[in-house]
Amino acid sequence: MPEVVTPAFFFAIGVTAYAAALHFGLGLTRPRSRAHLTLAAMSAFWIVGVAYQVQALHATTAAEFVTATRWNLDSVVVFGALLPWFVFHYSHGTRPAWPAALSAYMAVLVIANHALPNTLQFEQLDGIYRLRLPWGEAVSRAMGQSGPWTLAGAAAFVAIFGYSLATVGGLYWRTRRTTSLWVLAALGVLMATSAQGILVRLNIVNFVELGPFGYCAMILIMGAAVGRDTKQKLRATEASYQALFAHSPQAIIAVDPQTGDITEVNETALEILQYTRPQIVTRNLRDITRPEDLEGSRQRLAELATGTRERLRYDRWYVRRDGSSVLVDCQVSTLRDEQGKVVRVIASASDITERRQMEEALRESERRLRAVIGQSPIAMAFARDGVTIEVNEVYLQTFGYDSVDELRGRPILDQVAPQARHQVAELIRRRKLGDDVDANYETMGQRKDGSAFPIFISAKRLEFRDGPVTIAFLIDITRQKESENEIRRLAFYDHLTDLANRQLLNDRIRQALASCARTGRHCALLLIDLDNFKSVNDTLGHAAGDDLLRVVAQRLSTLVRQGDSVARLGGDEFVVLLEDLGTQQAEAAALAEALGEKILSHLGAPVRLGHHDTRCTCSVGVTVFRDHHLAPEDMIRQADIAMYEAKNSGRNLLRFFDPRMQELINARVSLERDLHAAIDARQFVLHYQIQVDSAFLPVGAEALIRWMHPERGLVAPGRFIPLAEETGLIVPIGQWVLDAACEQLERWRRNPLTRDLVLAINVSSKQFRGPVFVDDVRDALRRYRVNPAQLKLELTESMLIEDFEEIVATMNALKALGVRFSLDDFGTGYSSLQYLKRLPLDQLKIDQSFVRDIAIDPNDHAIVRTVIAVARSLNLDVIAEGVETDEQRNLLVQAGCTHFQGYFFGKPASAETLESFIEANLIGLRASEPAPAPVRLPR
């Protein structure tokens, strides 16, 4: 059996060597294949394994061991000879000398292996075998004497042999390449010699063993096949390169670097230079070079010949056969031999004569255009995609720049004043979209120093091959605007004081009347007449009188608000127009009177006229109006009547056109004065109206302020709270209410029956928006050691109309302290549910206007149900105020309301009255006694 297995195993080694070389070569070919490299590694590993098995298989006699060793060495040599050829073949090598040398070296090894006498080999190998390594016998028994191992080796041989034949056969059928067919023939020789070796060892034939000769024959056949294939590839490659060279669209000229002789050109070069091939190959590079370019040409050729430069690119002129010149874009590179010596200089050139002529024409056209733009008396700017690309000299002078580089690449909007950029940007955007917009418009430009000035722009968008360009013509219209303003000033302003004249005043009064009709707010007109102006003119002269009029105009202008108007009617009469004074007539009259008193005070101050100090008092007539049906002349006439009433009353006085208004003003002034005194004297008290749940059990109270006037008695909040809001006194009053409420909570905390009550206080808009309100609440809570959850701040919906984000931020800060919030008069304001869900509220308060008619008005009943549904969806409590009947309470309970407040449960009372009621009627709240039946405060 070993006589058959051994040649079979060595045949498997040869076939596997081919498979390893094949996959190794395919793995190196681009694109590289990891699968082929993996198969090559597996095949090589199998070769080593088989060789080891053969050596371990024969350990009985020296002759068998020597024979097996020879077969093993022959296989390794064959693998070493095949490997470089396959690497060379599949990596498209061009130098076959190195694989041929390696193959020759391997052939010498085979000859030497078979030329050595058996005895010499045996003595050396027997010495190794006598070492008797510990694992030697075990391996021999396991791999050489076991039947299963023999069958496994034979099965592996069959599998690998079949795989290798399939690989080679598949390659041949796919490519139909002669090289693959020769490889199959070489494998056939290897298979035949292996079979012959098996027959010899089985003594079936008596002939010299041809195994080594088969291996040599296989190497020669494969070498011849690969060499032939390589020559074919070289010829095909050379033919393809020749075709590329001949038909290249670029002119290619080969030059000897040492002499400058032209050695080869392609057809394109012949067409450009107008030579035939025999004519051009006999010429030198200097023959097609212009005389003025010879020195530069020699220098560049020398740099390439010595290797100083590898590549060059430049534009140069070639001389044609007829003496004309052609401009080419020339790219030059070098060609080296195997030793690295430069043997050729290859120049690739394109005819760019026509392109250069077009560029010159374009540059000339551009120079002419620049000359026209530069000499234009109008500022011009060119922009693409909103970015400046060019401007002319007039543009630089207009905008105060020194160089175009300062503007090139910057947005064109940088030269537009900030207040006008949005308008201009919108025009540019619409023009890009193709909308029909006015290309001529006025706007404000901005110079380099930041100053703004009026400009007129005429823009045009043009389409070019490289994209659209906007051309803008700009004119500085400062002088034109100044002229217009001067004309307008002369038409509408007094030339002496620069105040509005009668014509402009009438126009502004008409606008004020229209505003009154639209908003329902009052306006006022004050007519001022100087009391002793005639005496100033008579004693100090008209120049001093003019100076006095200018001083009066200046003082009046400093007293009015922005948006109010001051005018001179003529002579020593002036008019002040006040707008937006509120919806209440008394409030408007108060504001007008306050300004009138300031005018009397400021105009009565001494005036320096030349070297004299003089006083000039005035009389002021005031009319407050909201009737838009009146004419401006009617307003002036009413103020004039009031002004004469002031003069008749003794001068340096203020009078209203309606005498009854004066009484209202006097009463209001008196009330404001008393309110200041009330704050200082602490004349306020708090009354408390109880709040109960559906079982009539008290859950809290609302603190309501009262004014104990020493002369007028108890003043209701409706009389003084609006005045406090207007004058700003509501802030100190609100601070007093906050302190008093916290002090009351601190007292209630000591009583078990009242310590859980929640006290609600109303907060004004001005107080809530104050910068220190959150700190005031925090300090009051700490000072009186009050549980923040027992303090409830009631806000109205009207507070949410303005500065909503600021209101939310303040509420969140207070909510972090633990304070509760209730939204008062819900349903009467303007806040939306979108805003409502963002507020950190705890309770909604149904306004009494809906509760009052809930039993008779279905709309009010529906509104109440809606409010309760909204509160439930937002997880908020609901309390109804103004409950006065049991029917109202029952309807509210049916609608889902759980907390109530109103006269039905008790009127506002003092803290002592409220505490006495709770103690007398709810004593059952103590844990030791049962809860009493629901009771109500006395009505």
Side-chain angles (χ1 to χ4, degrees):
M1 189 63 181
E3 288 79 4
V4 178
V5 174
T6 299
F9 268 140
F10 282 115
F11 178 75
I13 288 175
V15 175
T16 307
Y18 164 75
L22 174 65
H23 287 299
F24 189 70
L26 292 175
L28 290 177
T29 305
R30 293 183 182 275
R32 302 186 188 279
S33 170
R34 294 183 179 179
H36 282 295
L37 292 176
T38 302
L39 291 172
M42 293 174 61
S43 300
F45 178 78
W46 172 249
I47 293 170
V48 177
V50 170
Y52 178 77
Q53 284 185 338
V54 172
Q55 289 180 352
L57 184 65
H58 299 282
T60 57
T61 66
E64 290 178 352
F65 196 87
V66 170
T67 302
T69 302
R70 282 183 172 177
W71 275 92
N72 186 22
L73 290 176
D74 289 343
S75 301
V76 172
V77 169
V78 169
F79 175 72
L82 288 175
L83 183 60
W85 280 107
F86 276 92
V87 172
F88 168 80
H89 175 66
Y90 285 101
S91 61
H92 305 288
T94 57
R95 298 180 181 178
W98 65 272
L102 287 176
S103 299
Y105 175 71
M106 294 299 175
V108 172
L109 291 180
V110 171
I111 296 171
N113 181 40
H114 287 270
L116 292 175
N118 288 348
T119 55
L120 178 61
Q121 294 181 5
F122 174 74
E123 290 175 358
Q124 295 173 349
L125 296 173
D126 188 54
I128 297 173
Y129 179 72
R130 283 198 303 269
L131 293 175
R132 296 292 182 181
L133 298 174
W135 44 267
E137 293 183 2
V139 171
S140 298
R141 287 195 300 271
M143 302 186 66
Q145 307 300 328
S146 175
W149 284 102
T150 302
L151 294 177
F157 158 72
V158 173
I160 294 175
F161 178 69
Y163 165 73
S164 300
L165 287 179
T167 301
V168 177
L171 182 64
Y172 172 71
W173 288 111
R174 286 194 307 272
T175 62
R176 297 289 179 176
R177 293 175 59 180
T178 308
T179 304
S180 299
L181 186 61
W182 280 100
V183 170
L184 283 174
L187 286 176
V189 172
L190 180 61
M191 183 174 63
T193 55
S194 298
Q196 189 266 346
I198 293 172
L199 295 176
V200 170
R201 290 179 177 275
L202 292 176
N203 295 321
I204 296 176
V205 296
N206 186 12
F207 196 73
V208 177
E209 187 176 339
L210 299 176
F213 303 103
Y215 289 125
C216 292
M218 185 179 67
I219 292 171
L220 293 175
I221 293 172
M222 287 188 175
V226 172
R228 179 178 178 275
D229 185 59
T230 301
K231 290 180 180 179
Q232 290 178 349
K233 286 182 179 180
L234 287 175
R235 283 195 296 270
T237 302
E238 184 178 359
S240 62
Y241 276 109
Q242 286 291 341
L244 288 173
F245 176 81
H247 298 94
S248 173
Q250 297 236 336
I252 301 177
I253 303 174
V255 179
D256 188 324
Q258 305 302 325
T259 63
D261 293 336
I262 299 174
T263 60
E264 188 59 58
V265 294
N266 65 349
E267 292 297 328
T268 305
L270 295 176
E271 293 176 3
I272 291 177
L273 296 176
Q274 298 178 357
Y275 280 96
T276 63
R277 189 176 302 278
Q279 292 172 338
I280 194 69
V281 295
T282 61
R283 295 185 177 273
N284 192 277
L285 187 60
R286 61 177 174 271
D287 296 332
I288 60 173
T289 305
R290 296 193 307 180
E292 57 268 29
D293 297 333
L294 282 176
E295 184 60 33
S297 179
R298 291 193 192 98
Q299 183 178 354
R300 285 190 287 267
L301 187 62
E303 291 177 354
L304 293 169
T306 57
T308 306
R309 302 286 292 272
E310 290 290 336
R311 290 179 178 85
L312 289 174
R313 180 168 185 173
Y314 51 88
D315 293 347
R316 65 167 298 174
W317 290 92
Y318 278 150
V319 179
R320 293 191 176 103
R321 183 183 178 186
D322 59 3
S324 62
S325 297
V326 57
L327 182 65
V328 296
D329 176 17
C330 195
Q331 301 182 57
V332 184
S333 59
T334 58
L335 182 65
R336 298 177 180 269
D337 59 10
E338 296 180 357
Q339 288 74 32
K341 181 182 178 182
V342 178
V343 295
R344 286 290 182 274
V345 172
I346 308 298
S348 176
S350 299
D351 185 356
I352 60 173
T353 307
E354 184 177 354
R355 188 181 75 184
R356 177 63 62 87
Q357 292 172 350
M358 292 176 61
E359 290 175 353
E360 288 295 337
L362 183 61
R363 279 193 288 269
E364 179 62 27
S365 176
E366 184 178 357
R367 282 194 294 268
R368 288 195 296 268
L369 179 60
R370 286 184 178 275
V372 172
I373 294 173
Q375 297 301 320
S376 172
I378 300 177
M380 299 176 64
F382 300 82
R384 175 178 284 123
D385 296 329
V387 177
T388 304
I389 56 178
E390 191 63 54
V391 297
N392 66 350
E393 187 64 29
V394 178
Y395 187 97
L396 296 175
Q397 296 173 1
T398 302
F399 287 88
Y401 288 91
D402 300 323
S403 170
V404 179
D405 295 334
E406 296 182 69
L407 295 172
R408 189 177 288 126
R410 289 177 53 182
I412 195 70
L413 287 177
D414 286 356
Q415 280 73 63
V416 178
Q419 64 268 26
R421 285 177 186 169
H422 177 74
Q423 175 190 4
V424 177
E426 180 64 16
L427 289 174
I428 294 174
R429 185 189 67 82
R430 292 178 58 192
R431 190 181 296 116
K432 285 183 179 179
L433 296 176
D435 295 349
D436 185 16
V437 297
D438 190 3
N440 305 315
Y441 55 91
E442 293 182 8
T443 186
M444 293 298 294
Q446 180 171 274
R447 298 186 180 92
K448 181 180 179 180
D449 59 7
S451 60
F453 66 103
I455 55 175
F456 174 80
I457 298 178
S458 178
K460 182 68 174 178
R461 183 179 173 88
L462 301 177
E463 294 289 340
F464 294 96
R465 280 194 298 179
D466 56 347
V469 172
T470 299
I471 303 177
F473 300 88
L474 302 95
I475 301 175
D476 183 354
I477 57 174
T478 303
R479 292 185 180 179
Q480 177 182 340
K481 287 295 181 182
E482 290 175 350
S483 300
E484 292 177 358
N485 292 335
E486 181 63 19
I487 294 173
R488 185 174 182 273
R489 190 186 69 81
L490 293 174
F492 295 104
Y493 290 88
D494 178 57
H495 70 281
L496 179 64
T497 62
D498 282 335
L499 296 178
N501 59 15
R502 182 183 291 269
Q503 182 177 353
L504 182 57
L505 175 64
N506 289 338
D507 183 63
R508 290 182 177 176
I509 293 176
R510 292 189 190 94
Q511 294 179 13
L513 290 170
S515 177
C516 291
R518 186 174 62 255
T519 64
R521 304 178 75 85
H522 287 80
C523 297
L525 194 70
L526 286 74
L527 194 148
I528 302 104
D529 184 86
L530 302 182
D531 291 333
N532 54 343
F533 178 71
K534 186 175 182 303
S535 62
V536 172
N537 262 342
D538 293 341
T539 57
L540 301 179
H542 291 283
D546 291 344
D547 291 341
L548 178 60
L549 293 176
R550 281 190 284 265
V551 171
V552 171
Q554 182 181 5
R555 290 181 179 181
L556 288 176
S557 299
T558 59
L559 293 177
V560 298
R561 304 168 301 175
Q562 185 177 6
D564 295 334
S565 299
V566 181
R568 181 189 176 205
L569 289 183
D572 62 343
E573 288 187 333
F574 296 86
V575 174
V576 174
L577 175 62
L578 304 179
E579 299 185 54
D580 195 16
L581 296 181
T583 58
Q584 300 298 321
Q585 189 179 38
E587 177 187 357
L591 293 174
E593 184 187 33
L595 178 62
E597 295 294 341
K598 286 184 180 181
I599 291 174
L600 291 174
S601 174
H602 282 69
L603 295 190
V607 179
R608 184 73 174 176
L609 299 175
H611 301 289
H612 302 277
D613 289 333
T614 185
R615 292 179 181 269
C616 185
T617 61
C618 65
S619 299
V620 181
V622 183
T623 179
V624 177
F625 60 91
R626 190 175 61 179
D627 187 359
H628 63 281
H629 297 293
L630 297 176
E633 294 77 10
D634 297 332
M635 301 293 99
I636 296 175
R637 187 180 305 110
Q638 291 179 1
D640 190 58
I641 293 172
M643 183 271 296
Y644 277 106
E645 178 65 24
K647 281 187 177 292
N648 294 333
S649 299
R651 299 191 178 188
N652 196 23
L653 295 175
L654 179 146
R655 288 291 181 266
F656 281 87
F657 173 71
D658 187 355
R660 292 174 299 176
M661 189 179 300
Q662 189 67 43
E663 296 177 4
L664 294 175
I665 292 299
N666 293 338
R668 186 178 185 278
V669 171
S670 176
L671 185 63
E672 182 179 350
R673 183 171 56 250
D674 291 347
L675 193 58
H676 277 281
I679 294 174
D680 296 334
R682 294 184 176 271
Q683 297 173 356
F684 302 105
V685 295
L686 288 183
H687 283 187
Y688 304 91
Q689 187 172 27
I690 193 168
Q691 297 176 341
V692 302
D693 60 13
S694 57
F696 291 93
L697 296 178
V699 294
E702 181 180 1
L704 303 171
I705 191 171
R706 299 290 185 267
W707 181 8
M708 296 299 298
H709 196 280
E711 298 177 359
R712 306 181 187 184
L714 191 65
V715 181
R719 291 191 58 190
F720 69 89
I721 289 298
L723 179 61
E725 288 277 3
E726 294 172 13
T727 59
L729 297 176
I730 193 66
V731 175
I733 293 175
Q735 180 62 44
W736 178 88
V737 171
L738 176 63
D739 289 340
C742 290
E743 185 179 3
Q744 185 61 52
L745 284 173
E746 196 275 334
R747 285 196 295 268
W748 282 350
R749 182 170 54 86
R750 306 183 194 136
N751 188 342
L753 297 179
T754 59
R755 64 187 176 188
D756 295 327
L757 294 181
V758 176
L759 185 57
I761 63 174
N762 293 281
V763 181
S764 72
S765 174
K766 290 184 178 180
Q767 182 185 9
F768 194 81
R769 290 191 176 94
V772 296
F773 181 66
V774 176
D775 296 333
D776 290 342
V777 174
R778 184 187 296 109
D779 294 342
L781 294 174
R782 291 177 179 174
R783 185 163 58 253
Y784 295 103
R785 295 178 297 172
V786 172
N787 180 5
Q790 292 182 263
L791 179 64
K792 181 166 61 179
L793 304 181
E794 291 194 359
L795 310 178
T796 60
E797 284 193 79
S798 59
M799 293 176 58
L800 309 177
I801 298 177
E802 297 180 358
D803 300 327
F804 179 78
E805 297 298 334
E806 181 181 349
I807 292 292
V808 172
T810 303
M811 291 181 68
N812 287 330
L814 292 169
K815 193 69 176 179
L817 299 177
V819 176
R820 298 185 182 184
F821 287 98
S822 176
L823 188 59
D824 198 5
D825 302 335
F826 183 73
T828 63
Y830 306 98
S831 62
S832 67
L833 296 180
Q834 182 68 23
Y835 285 168
L836 188 64
K837 70 178 184 179
R838 295 184 54 195
L839 299 174
L841 295 172
D842 300 282
Q843 188 181 73
L844 295 182
K845 198 168 190 178
I846 302 175
D847 188 68
Q848 60 182 348
S849 61
F850 303 127
V851 176
R852 184 183 304 113
D853 297 329
I854 190 173
I856 60 176
D857 190 342
N859 293 330
D860 287 345
H861 192 267
I863 290 174
V864 169
R865 287 184 175 275
T866 302
V867 172
I868 294 173
V870 170
R872 286 179 176 175
S873 66
L874 297 175
N875 296 322
L876 301 177
D877 293 333
V878 181
I879 184 170
E881 65 175 353
V883 181
E884 298 182 356
T885 65
D886 190 51
E887 183 181 9
Q888 292 173 349
R889 190 196 72 84
N890 291 334
L891 289 174
L892 289 169
V893 171
Q894 293 173 8
C897 185
T898 56
H899 296 85
F900 313 91
Q901 176 183 343
Y903 283 4
F904 183 70
F905 308 99
K907 294 182 179 181
S910 64
E912 293 77 10
T913 302
L914 183 65
E915 293 170 3
S916 299
F917 166 76
I918 294 175
E919 185 174 358
N921 295 281
L922 298 183
I923 198 69
L925 289 177
R926 295 188 178 92
S928 59
E929 299 181 11
V935 295
R936 297 191 296 272
L937 285 170
R939 300 174 59 192

